[in-house]
Amino acid sequence: MGNDKKKIMVLAGSYWQIPLIKKIKELGYSVLDVNPYENSPAFEYADEYVMLDILDRKSCLACAENAKVDAVMSEQCDIANPSVAYISEKMGLNSMGSRCAELYTNKLRMREFCKEHGFANPEYQICYTLEEAVQFFESLNKKMIIKPLDSNSSRGVYTIHNIEELQENFEKALSYSKIENAVLCERYIEGTEFTVDGLMTSNGHISLAISEKYHYKHNPNIACTLFFSYDNDKFDYDLLRKVNDEYVNKTGLPFGLTHAEYKYEDGKYYLIEIGARGGGNLIGSHIVPLISGVDNYTYLIEKTLGKEIEETYSINEKYKKRCVVLDFFDTPNKGGKVTAIKGRDILENSSNIIAYKLNFDIGDEIKEAENDSARIGFYIAYAESKQELEQLMNEIKQAFQIELED
């Protein structure tokens, strides 16, 4: 399989692209990785690398043409998608296309699409000035959320309870909007939040992994725990799968991975946002195959290369009892200098923990996360039942301790 040594350009070179690069090489292809920074973590896993800004589409296109690549890809990275689509279209290669790249990265387009196609949608408005945002907030007379049109990792997302908070945070949110100097303001949707990861095939979309999300007390816009299961005693996951599959199918996404966030309010699932890529923090690469049995990365790579591949997927019965958790560590006492990390051996030695990462070490200063990318670390664990997994999570919580300087 794939011994013709086709070359694939991967855009972005962070830790999150490493699983994709490893899979491409495992299938017998070579990798040209592109990222602007010299010490990019993914570079050492690629056959070649080039230091370029992945948002500079023309320079990346020139690089791809010069290297005669057979495909261009990205994973777990929203901001790369428009560049991937642009380069692929110019070179006549397989991709989601520029229309879908925009629809799956621009939060305003997602809202408009929901409205157009009858999906549950909160009141919203695009605002170019603080005055417009204040006016919309007053007309809503309810809690509001403001967000950049196309940022990632919850950067620039703020919950607004009053005019003072809006005045304090509007310019910050605006600074993260790259495609247009504007902010999306919308009614804050109350209720539980979920993620849904899936796969678009020529037979339609299949939702493969659903998590119920829990959030940090200090910032309700940042998740601390994602608990994945096939069903849920309190919520109708069949309905959530149906809504998500319908949405993706209606967008006309030709193929690829999807990662969506929904909130449940008054009997309806509201789409918060959706990306045409796998969920970050190894959801796409590690969790989806673990909880569904579907090898989504092989599908994505072979399909991007235009290969004939099996397109019929379903979740095997044996995976329907399995649960997986992506749990982010909490910063004790609002932060400080780390003097000791206790219980790391439970993360190293438990066969039910498939990955973990600490973004700090002894001697480092840590603080409470301000966005998704600033969380101090995580682990991914699984068990064959909810009770077993909850027990393991409890054991980890007792054993793993971060000590700070008094």
Side-chain angles (χ1 to χ4, degrees), residues 232-404:
N232 186 317
D233 295 340
K234 304 188 295 291
F235 300 97
D236 184 349
Y237 277 6
D238 286 337
L239 176 61
L240 180 50
R241 279 185 275 268
K242 182 172 179 281
V243 169
N244 191 53
D245 292 343
E246 275 179 14
Y247 181 94
V248 178
N249 287 333
K250 282 187 175 172
T251 65
L253 183 70
F255 70 95
L257 278 51
T258 61
H259 173 76
E261 291 167 6
Y262 286 86
K263 268 191 164 181
Y264 186 77
E265 182 191 72
D266 296 334
K268 292 177 184 171
Y269 287 105
Y270 285 77
L271 179 73
I272 302 301
E273 60 183 86
I274 184 166
R277 43 95 179 168
N281 290 96
L282 309 180
I283 296 173
S285 54
H286 289 54
I287 294 176
V288 172
L290 187 65
I291 201 161
S292 69
V294 172
D295 184 353
N296 55 344
Y297 269 26
T298 294
Y299 177 84
L300 179 67
I301 294 159
E302 301 290 38
K303 190 76 179 174
T304 307
L305 281 167
K307 303 261 177 171
E308 288 292 318
I309 185 163
E310 171 58 51
E311 301 254 353
T312 308
Y313 293 100
S314 60
I315 299 171
N316 190 302
E317 286 302 314
K318 74 174 185 179
Y319 292 96
K320 290 184 180 178
K321 293 290 176 212
R322 181 176 284 181
C323 294
V324 181
V325 71
L326 167 58
D327 207 20
F328 293 91
F329 298 115
D330 212 345
T331 304
N333 306 320
K334 298 193 174 180
K337 190 176 183 180
V338 179
T339 55
I341 302 168
K342 295 188 170 175
R344 199 189 288 214
D345 54 334
I346 193 169
L347 303 176
E348 287 283 352
N349 301 328
S350 170
S351 58
N352 284 61
I353 293 178
I354 60 159
Y356 81 92
K357 188 173 191 284
L358 303 182
N359 301 323
F360 66 95
D361 215 329
I362 292 167
D364 289 347
E365 291 276 345
I366 59 171
K367 59 180 183 176
E368 290 181 325
E370 290 170 9
N371 57 57
D372 287 355
S373 65
R375 291 173 289 200
I376 61 168
F378 69 88
Y379 70 87
I380 296 170
Y382 78 99
E384 300 305 334
S385 73
K386 187 180 178 185
Q387 292 72 21
E388 285 174 67
L389 185 53
E390 284 173 343
Q391 188 182 331
L392 175 61
M393 288 170 70
N394 203 37
E395 286 168 18
I396 294 165
K397 196 171 187 177
Q398 302 302 318
F400 184 79
Q401 300 289 328
I402 302 163
E403 294 187 0
L404 303 177

Side-chain angles (χ1 to χ4, degrees), residues 145-179:
I145 193 156
I146 63 173
K147 48 181 91 162
L149 297 186
D150 61 339
S151 76
N152 55 354
S153 298
S154 302
R155 291 182 181 93
V157 178
Y158 300 97
T159 304
I160 304 298
H161 301 83
N162 52 52
I163 301 291
E164 290 71 36
E165 287 180 350
L166 187 52
Q167 289 168 332
E168 189 188 327
N169 295 306
F170 184 82
E171 288 297 326
K172 291 187 216 167
L174 196 62
S175 72
Y176 285 102
S177 263
K178 290 177 286 292
I179 46 171

Side-chain angles (χ1 to χ4, degrees), residues 13 32 88 107 111 124 201 204 210 213 222 231 236 317 379:
L32 167 62
S88 301
K107 293 176 179 66
R111 283 278 160 262
Y124 68 91
T201 75
I210 298 178
K213 285 176 96 169
I222 305 173
D231 40 35
D236 184 349
E317 286 302 314
Y379 70 87

